[in-house]
Amino acid sequence: MPNERLRALMASGGWTHATLAEKAGVDPKSVERWVNLGRTPRRVTALQAAEILGEDVYALWPALRQARAARAVSPELVALYEQRADLPASTYVDLFAQAQECIDVLVYAAVFLHEAYPRLNDLIRERAAEGCAVRIAIGDADSENVRQRGEEERFGHGIESRCRLALMHYRPLLGTPGIELRTHGTTLYNSLYRADDQVLVNTHVFGVNAYGAPVWHLRRNASGGMFDAYADSFEAVWDKATPVQQD
């Protein structure tokens, strides 16, 4: 059955199968099948096409709403841990050791990594020496959001002091080619530990210390998915973060 809503929308906007296909990065025959045969594109492609056309994706392809409700697990989800404390330090170490292109860390402190694996800085230097770009963003101990997090987790000044300790741990990396260190004062909704196309997402729960909150292990499956959402959030914080200067 033809997708008459899509056909009418394209006609009103002056879109042809070829022009929409070029903009959406697909073959013109695919667009023709969307229109004439009522085919539903992949979710990522559908979202992109809907944005191009300025229409709600579910209005164009209602089947996507049903498919989303029926799918219980994202294809990007590798594992789900009930709390960060369930993960051994080797999980993070192995993730970083496999990185070839990038390592991104967004936390307030996460000093448990250095405490559990004293060679962390050496590992980071080794990856950087192999051409891996490393970016580490830790909490600004003097920021209001860090202070507030301490109150919410009933941790007092503990988080502030751990942010300062984290800075002490990472400071020796300053000046190493390929490694950047910044501090941020954002509201931290998730701690992120990324290596190339994999990321460990330590979610934050109000009133719960990070070690007691869940962790998602995601692997990038396609553009526009869960992985990219977290990767984009890292970029947003990184852009606002302050580079740490060498003494």
Side-chain angles (χ1 to χ4, degrees):
M1 180 181 297
N3 188 327
E4 296 299 345
R5 189 183 188 96
L6 177 58
R7 188 196 305 277
L9 191 62
M10 289 177 60
S12 64
W15 293 95
T16 66
H17 296 160
T19 56
L20 180 57
E22 182 180 3
K23 194 72 173 178
V26 298
D27 189 277
K29 291 183 178 179
S30 295
V31 178
E32 183 179 356
R33 286 191 287 268
W34 301 348
V35 176
N36 295 331
L37 301 180
R39 297 284 178 82
T40 300
R42 294 175 59 250
R43 179 175 298 277
V44 172
T45 304
L47 288 168
Q48 185 176 1
E51 183 176 357
I52 293 169
L53 296 170
E55 178 61 281
D56 180 78
V57 67
Y58 299 124
L60 290 174
W61 294 288
L64 286 175
R65 188 187 301 276
Q66 299 171 0
R68 185 168 190 171
R71 191 179 68 196
V73 180
S74 166
E76 294 188 295
L77 182 62
V78 177
L80 172 61
Y81 303 90
E82 291 187 11
Q83 54 185 12
R84 194 191 72 193
D86 293 335
L87 279 73
S90 60
T91 302
Y92 302 87
V93 172
D94 292 344
L95 189 73
F96 293 153
Q98 297 171 25
Q100 299 295 318
E101 298 179 358
C102 73
I103 291 176
D104 289 335
V105 176
L106 172 61
V107 296
Y108 271 160
V111 294
F112 72 92
L113 286 175
H114 281 95
E115 293 169 349
Y117 188 70
R119 284 198 67 256
L120 182 63
N121 281 5
D122 293 333
L123 172 61
I124 291 174
R125 289 191 189 96
E126 291 167 4
R127 301 317 311 139
E130 292 293 326
C132 189
V134 180
R135 298 182 296 178
I136 301 169
I138 58 178
D140 178 355
D142 297 320
S143 74
E144 176 61 22
N145 282 322
V146 168
R147 185 198 63 77
Q148 183 67 30
R149 179 60 58 83
E151 291 185 4
E152 293 169 354
E153 296 182 1
R154 298 182 293 277
F155 204 50
H157 296 291
I159 292 182
E160 297 166 42
S161 62
R162 290 174 80 81
C163 286
R164 293 189 172 90
L165 181 57
L167 183 58
M168 291 174 60
H169 281 310
Y170 286 115
R171 187 175 284 279
L173 296 174
L174 289 175
T176 303
I179 299 177
E180 294 183 78
L181 177 62
R182 298 184 182 183
T183 58
H184 69 95
T186 60
T187 301
L188 194 63
Y189 298 104
N190 306 276
S191 294
L192 305 177
Y193 308 86
R194 176 186 177 181
D196 295 343
D197 283 348
Q198 297 189 69
V199 63
L200 294 171
V201 182
N202 185 189
T203 65
H204 291 285
V205 179
F206 186 88
V208 178
N209 195 282
Y211 64 76
V215 173
W216 306 84
H217 181 179
L218 303 177
R219 179 181 288 110
R220 191 174 189 269
N221 179 266
S223 62
M226 294 175 64
F227 178 95
D228 282 354
Y230 288 112
D232 289 346
S233 73
F234 177 91
E235 297 296 341
V237 175
W238 185 256
D239 288 345
K240 296 180 179 180
T242 303
V244 176
Q245 303 298 324
Q246 288 183 275
D247 294 332

